[in-house]
Amino acid sequence: MSTSGKTDELPPAERPYTHEMVVVHRVFRRESALLPRLVRAVPDGGTARAKQVAEHLRAYVGGLHHHHALEDELVWPLLHARAAQDDELVSRMEQQHHRIDESLAAVAQWTPAWERTADRIAGEELALALDAHRTVLLEHLDDEEWLALPLVAEHLTVAEWDLVGTRGLEQVPKNQLFIALGALLEEATAQESAHFLGKAPLLGRLLWKLVGRRQYAAARKVIRGPLDGGPDA
């Protein structure tokens, strides 16, 4: 059975379920593709809409930063210590994180001016920076899924892997938990959804059904409405 994330079958109980990371990566793939489109769809001078998109962009950047910081802290050091024969690969993962940070520096440079003015030229510069960021990001996600996750499955314990997810969840503001869950479940198969929801307490699953799904759908409509033919916000 592949551990690269290209199957959603559950591994033996004693091995980490690294496919969780593949589903998380789908969220970053989706949002990194949407963001340049969202920026370009903002009308010249549409500052209210620019502010909405900029807030969504900051949430994306913050989520990606925390995601990579956890890997830098909890995954790569263990692989350096336990998979010495693959040290070059692990170093490549770390170097790709630096390249992603560099790509986001250009995004950060253009975001404030565009958010303030919704100027079309600034918007195009921001969208181009986001396009360039996505190119670097996808290279890393592909390498991590195909090359690094098998090392994680081989060399990390279940508890060490689960800590990455636990720490990631702790960093999500409580009022954004349903948004984060919805973003994940949007990209999940039925089996994957059952796995993620099964890790939540019963009350959390009930609240998701009663409140969370509608909350996420509403938030998604606000952000993606103009791309779906809805009115500009």
Side-chain angles (χ1 to χ4, degrees):
M1 181 185 68
S2 170
T3 55
S4 69
K6 299 309 175 183
T7 175
D8 61 359
E9 295 177 3
L10 290 170
E14 69 274 11
R15 302 312 313 159
Y17 182 44
T18 57
H19 185 75
E20 293 171 328
M21 187 69 79
V22 176
V23 183
V24 172
H25 284 179
R26 290 180 199 155
V27 179
F28 291 123
R29 292 175 187 275
R30 179 192 70 221
E31 295 302 324
S32 65
L34 282 170
L35 280 164
R37 296 177 58 206
L38 290 169
V39 170
R40 290 184 170 110
V42 174
D44 195 13
T47 53
R49 176 61 181 169
K51 181 176 177 57
Q52 282 183 329
V53 174
E55 289 174 352
H56 185 66
L57 170 55
R58 281 191 288 269
Y60 163 84
V61 171
L64 184 60
H65 172 75
H66 291 311
H67 175 74
H68 285 167
L70 287 172
E71 292 177 340
D72 292 339
E73 178 186 355
L74 300 175
V75 177
W76 310 140
L78 292 177
L79 291 182
H80 275 304
R82 300 174 187 174
Q85 72 279 9
D86 293 295
D87 200 64
E88 183 177 345
L89 169 60
V90 179
S91 294
R92 188 162 106 204
M93 297 297 101
E94 294 172 313
Q95 291 163 4
Q96 287 176 344
H97 279 191
H98 291 306
R99 290 181 58 205
I100 291 168
D101 287 342
E102 291 171 356
S103 73
L104 288 172
V107 172
Q109 175 185 351
W110 284 105
T111 301
W114 175 74
E115 179 182 8
R116 185 175 63 254
T117 65
D119 175 76
R120 191 167 294 279
I121 293 176
E124 182 59 23
E125 292 289 352
L126 175 56
L128 289 172
L130 286 165
D131 288 335
H133 158 70
R134 186 168 194 268
T135 298
V136 177
L137 175 70
L138 293 186
E139 177 186 1
H140 171 66
L141 297 184
D142 287 345
D143 284 352
E144 186 173 307
E145 289 168 17
W146 284 106
L147 304 174
L149 288 185
L151 295 181
V152 170
E154 182 178 355
H155 295 287
L156 268 66
T157 67
V158 172
E160 288 166 342
W161 179 248
D162 287 348
L163 180 61
V164 178
T166 300
R167 290 275 299 277
L169 188 62
E170 289 172 351
Q171 294 173 345
V172 179
K174 291 188 183 300
N175 65 350
Q176 293 296 308
L177 282 173
F178 285 143
I179 302 300
L181 178 60
L184 189 67
L185 295 182
E186 182 179 350
E187 297 301 323
T189 66
Q191 183 177 358
E192 292 162 351
S193 295
H195 169 75
F196 284 108
L197 287 171
K199 299 175 75 171
L202 176 60
L203 178 59
R205 296 196 297 271
L206 289 174
L207 288 174
W208 166 251
K209 291 180 179 180
L210 294 173
V211 179
R213 284 190 293 199
R214 288 197 299 271
Q215 182 181 344
Y216 178 68
R220 183 177 62 185
K221 183 177 181 180
V222 167
I223 290 299
R224 299 188 210 166
L227 299 184
D228 298 331
D232 288 344

Short mmCIF file of all heavy atoms in Angstrom, two decimals, residues 54 58 107-118 126:
data_model
loop_
_atom_site.label_atom_id
_atom_site.label_comp_id
_atom_site.label_asym_id
_atom_site.label_seq_id
_atom_site.Cartn_x
_atom_site.Cartn_y
_atom_site.Cartn_z
N ALA A 54 -8.67 40.63 0.67
CA ALA A 54 -7.40 40.76 1.38
C ALA A 54 -7.46 40.03 2.72
O ALA A 54 -6.48 39.40 3.14
CB ALA A 54 -7.05 42.22 1.59
N ARG A 58 -5.05 37.01 3.79
CA ARG A 58 -4.25 36.95 5.03
C ARG A 58 -4.52 35.66 5.80
O ARG A 58 -3.61 35.08 6.39
CB ARG A 58 -4.54 38.18 5.89
CG ARG A 58 -3.82 39.43 5.42
CD ARG A 58 -3.91 40.54 6.44
NE ARG A 58 -5.25 41.10 6.50
CZ ARG A 58 -5.64 42.14 5.74
NH1 ARG A 58 -4.80 42.72 4.90
NH2 ARG A 58 -6.88 42.59 5.84
N VAL A 107 3.86 38.90 -2.37
CA VAL A 107 2.42 39.02 -2.10
C VAL A 107 2.18 40.07 -1.02
O VAL A 107 1.31 40.95 -1.15
CB VAL A 107 1.83 37.66 -1.69
CG1 VAL A 107 0.38 37.82 -1.23
CG2 VAL A 107 1.92 36.67 -2.85
N ALA A 108 2.96 39.98 0.05
CA ALA A 108 2.82 40.94 1.14
C ALA A 108 3.16 42.37 0.71
O ALA A 108 2.59 43.33 1.23
CB ALA A 108 3.72 40.53 2.31
N GLN A 109 4.05 42.50 -0.24
CA GLN A 109 4.44 43.83 -0.72
C GLN A 109 3.29 44.54 -1.41
O GLN A 109 3.09 45.75 -1.23
CB GLN A 109 5.62 43.70 -1.68
CG GLN A 109 6.04 45.00 -2.32
CD GLN A 109 7.13 44.80 -3.37
OE1 GLN A 109 7.70 43.72 -3.51
NE2 GLN A 109 7.43 45.86 -4.12
N TRP A 110 2.50 43.81 -2.18
CA TRP A 110 1.45 44.42 -2.99
C TRP A 110 0.09 44.46 -2.31
O TRP A 110 -0.77 45.27 -2.68
CB TRP A 110 1.32 43.68 -4.33
CG TRP A 110 2.43 44.02 -5.27
CD1 TRP A 110 3.50 43.24 -5.60
CD2 TRP A 110 2.59 45.24 -6.00
NE1 TRP A 110 4.31 43.89 -6.48
CE2 TRP A 110 3.78 45.12 -6.75
CE3 TRP A 110 1.84 46.42 -6.09
CZ2 TRP A 110 4.23 46.14 -7.58
CZ3 TRP A 110 2.30 47.43 -6.92
CH2 TRP A 110 3.47 47.29 -7.65
N THR A 111 -0.12 43.63 -1.30
CA THR A 111 -1.45 43.55 -0.69
C THR A 111 -1.93 44.86 -0.08
O THR A 111 -3.08 45.28 -0.33
CB THR A 111 -1.50 42.42 0.35
OG1 THR A 111 -1.17 41.17 -0.29
CG2 THR A 111 -2.87 42.32 0.99
N PRO A 112 -1.13 45.57 0.73
CA PRO A 112 -1.67 46.77 1.40
C PRO A 112 -2.13 47.85 0.43
O PRO A 112 -3.21 48.43 0.62
CB PRO A 112 -0.49 47.25 2.26
CG PRO A 112 0.35 46.04 2.48
CD PRO A 112 0.24 45.26 1.21
N ALA A 113 -1.33 48.14 -0.58
CA ALA A 113 -1.70 49.19 -1.52
C ALA A 113 -2.95 48.81 -2.30
O ALA A 113 -3.84 49.64 -2.53
CB ALA A 113 -0.55 49.47 -2.49
N TRP A 114 -3.04 47.53 -2.70
CA TRP A 114 -4.23 47.10 -3.44
C TRP A 114 -5.46 47.12 -2.54
O TRP A 114 -6.53 47.56 -2.96
CB TRP A 114 -4.01 45.70 -4.00
CG TRP A 114 -5.24 45.17 -4.66
CD1 TRP A 114 -5.76 45.54 -5.86
CD2 TRP A 114 -6.12 44.18 -4.13
NE1 TRP A 114 -6.92 44.85 -6.12
CE2 TRP A 114 -7.16 44.00 -5.08
CE3 TRP A 114 -6.14 43.42 -2.97
CZ2 TRP A 114 -8.19 43.09 -4.89
CZ3 TRP A 114 -7.16 42.52 -2.78
CH2 TRP A 114 -8.19 42.36 -3.73
N GLU A 115 -5.33 46.66 -1.30
CA GLU A 115 -6.47 46.66 -0.39
C GLU A 115 -6.97 48.09 -0.14
O GLU A 115 -8.18 48.32 -0.06
CB GLU A 115 -6.07 46.02 0.94
CG GLU A 115 -7.20 45.99 1.96
CD GLU A 115 -6.77 45.39 3.28
OE1 GLU A 115 -5.56 45.14 3.46
OE2 GLU A 115 -7.64 45.17 4.14
N ARG A 116 -6.06 49.03 -0.05
CA ARG A 116 -6.43 50.42 0.25
C ARG A 116 -7.12 51.10 -0.93
O ARG A 116 -8.06 51.89 -0.73
CB ARG A 116 -5.18 51.20 0.65
CG ARG A 116 -5.44 52.62 1.12
CD ARG A 116 -4.17 53.28 1.60
NE ARG A 116 -3.17 53.42 0.55
CZ ARG A 116 -2.07 52.68 0.46
NH1 ARG A 116 -1.81 51.73 1.36
NH2 ARG A 116 -1.20 52.86 -0.52
N THR A 117 -6.68 50.80 -2.15
CA THR A 117 -7.16 51.55 -3.31
C THR A 117 -7.96 50.72 -4.32
O THR A 117 -8.68 51.29 -5.14
CB THR A 117 -5.98 52.17 -4.06
OG1 THR A 117 -5.16 51.11 -4.61
CG2 THR A 117 -5.13 53.03 -3.13
N ALA A 118 -7.78 49.39 -4.27
CA ALA A 118 -8.36 48.51 -5.28
C ALA A 118 -7.95 48.95 -6.68
O ALA A 118 -8.71 48.82 -7.64
CB ALA A 118 -9.88 48.43 -5.16
N LEU A 126 -0.38 42.04 -7.74
CA LEU A 126 -0.65 41.10 -6.67
C LEU A 126 -1.04 39.74 -7.24
O LEU A 126 -0.58 38.69 -6.75
CB LEU A 126 -1.77 41.64 -5.77
CG LEU A 126 -2.26 40.72 -4.65
CD1 LEU A 126 -1.12 40.29 -3.74
CD2 LEU A 126 -3.37 41.41 -3.85
#
